[in-house]
Amino acid sequence: MEFSYEVKDSYAEVKADGRLNMVSAPKLREFVTDVIAGGSNRIVVNLENTAFMDSSGLGALIGCLKAARQAGGDLRIAAVQPQVKMVLQLTSMDKVLTAYGTAEEAFRND
Amino acid sequence: MTEVLASRSFRGPAAEDAIESVHNNLDSLWLDVPFVQDMDQMTFTTAVIESASNIVQHAEPAGPDQVELGVDITVQPTLLQARVSAYHAKPPFGPMEPATPGEDAESGRGLALIQALVTTVTFERQDGTNTWVLSRTSQA
């Protein structure tokens, strides 16, 4: 899995390309923690190229959400693909991690 | 006699690398059986990776030999089946019932997710090997 980020006007966009599994989940957590430490507390995780996520990956997203909120911000997800959507729905976490169509939409109304 | 249309097997040390190998095996398996619907491929792949990850993360060796992961997958006309095994492992510790973690919990969702993804999950222990048998009835 490859991670990258870009600071936009009102948020930082993190891209996670590949499989978000038990191998990459700790790396996502570390990556997002560093982005938050760098001064961005409004995070959009763009999952456009995340073809797969398991419960470890979901746990990492929840950890990142908590870290962003502890820093006074929030974390939102965007461009969710079918397998990731399925895991979010089956675990009822789609209510906690709201999915937006695109990264631009995620913080548009705040 | 049951007709096996395609199969893949993996056996190796229960380590992180094994998860990527099993996932690559699944991706190549689906290329052999394109008639298996996307939803069945997606759910079954997720259940197998969850189970294999559970072994890599939690299985403890019963003796001097390190735990090995084994994953044997078969595709039959209307059945997807995986035998996901932990060799040289202690019996699983604690309840094997799915947990219901709070919404801010960062772990504990794996077993419930597996049960939601497949038709049946059974557990066998024989000769120091723990095996989870995942079966999903697929769309014809």
Side-chain angles (χ1 to χ4, degrees), chain B residues 54-77:
Chain B
N54 188 281
I55 287 172
V56 172
Q57 288 173 309
H58 301 298
E60 293 183 25
D65 295 327
Q66 66 175 323
V67 176
E68 287 187 21
L69 171 70
V71 180
D72 297 295
I73 307 160
T74 54
V75 178
Q76 296 169 29

Side-chain angles (χ1 to χ4, degrees), chain A:
Chain A
M1 169 154 261
E2 290 188 7
F3 303 106
S4 61
Y5 83 101
E6 190 176 342
V7 177
K8 307 276 189 168
D9 286 347
S10 63
Y11 62 92
E13 178 180 349
V14 173
K15 287 187 178 171
D17 297 351
R19 297 169 181 158
L20 185 48
N21 56 19
M22 63 160 286
V23 181
S24 56
K27 296 170 186 164
L28 172 68
R29 199 181 305 234
E30 192 177 329
F31 190 86
V32 172
T33 301
D34 286 348
V35 172
I36 294 170
S40 301
N41 63 8
R42 284 151 63 98
I43 308 287
V44 180
V45 182
N46 186 336
L47 298 171
E48 183 179 8
N49 294 316
T50 307
F52 179 88
M53 179 179 79
D54 64 7
S55 64
S56 300
L58 175 60
L61 281 179
I62 295 164
C64 294
L65 170 68
K66 284 163 38 180
R69 288 184 176 169
Q70 278 166 10
D74 202 5
L75 178 141
R76 296 173 186 176
I77 58 176
V80 170
Q81 301 302 302
Q83 190 273 347
V84 174
K85 186 177 181 184
M86 175 189 76
V87 169
L88 289 168
Q89 288 175 336
L90 286 175
T91 54
S92 299
M93 293 309 289
D94 51 341
K95 299 175 184 71
V96 178
L97 286 159
T98 308
Y100 293 82
T102 63
E104 293 76 20
E105 290 170 37
F107 283 103
R108 181 173 288 167
N109 296 322
D110 317 43

Side-chain angles (χ1 to χ4, degrees), chain B residues 57-139:
Chain B
Q57 288 173 309
H58 301 298
E60 293 183 25
D65 295 327
Q66 66 175 323
V67 176
E68 287 187 21
L69 171 70
V71 180
D72 297 295
I73 307 160
T74 54
V75 178
Q76 296 169 29
T78 57
L79 180 70
L80 309 173
Q81 192 170 73
R83 296 178 62 83
V84 184
S85 302
Y87 297 93
H88 317 304
K90 288 181 184 174
F93 175 79
M96 288 173 59
E97 294 300 314
T100 48
E103 64 179 30
D104 65 343
E106 294 175 40
S107 60
R109 294 186 179 84
L111 282 177
L113 186 56
I114 292 167
Q115 291 198 343
L117 291 165
V118 295
T119 314
T120 60
V121 184
T122 59
F123 173 75
E124 303 167 0
R125 180 167 171 84
Q126 194 171 11
D127 301 330
T129 300
N130 303 325
T131 301
W132 285 264
V133 183
L134 313 179
S135 302
R136 179 174 172 89
T137 306
S138 57
Q139 304 284 317

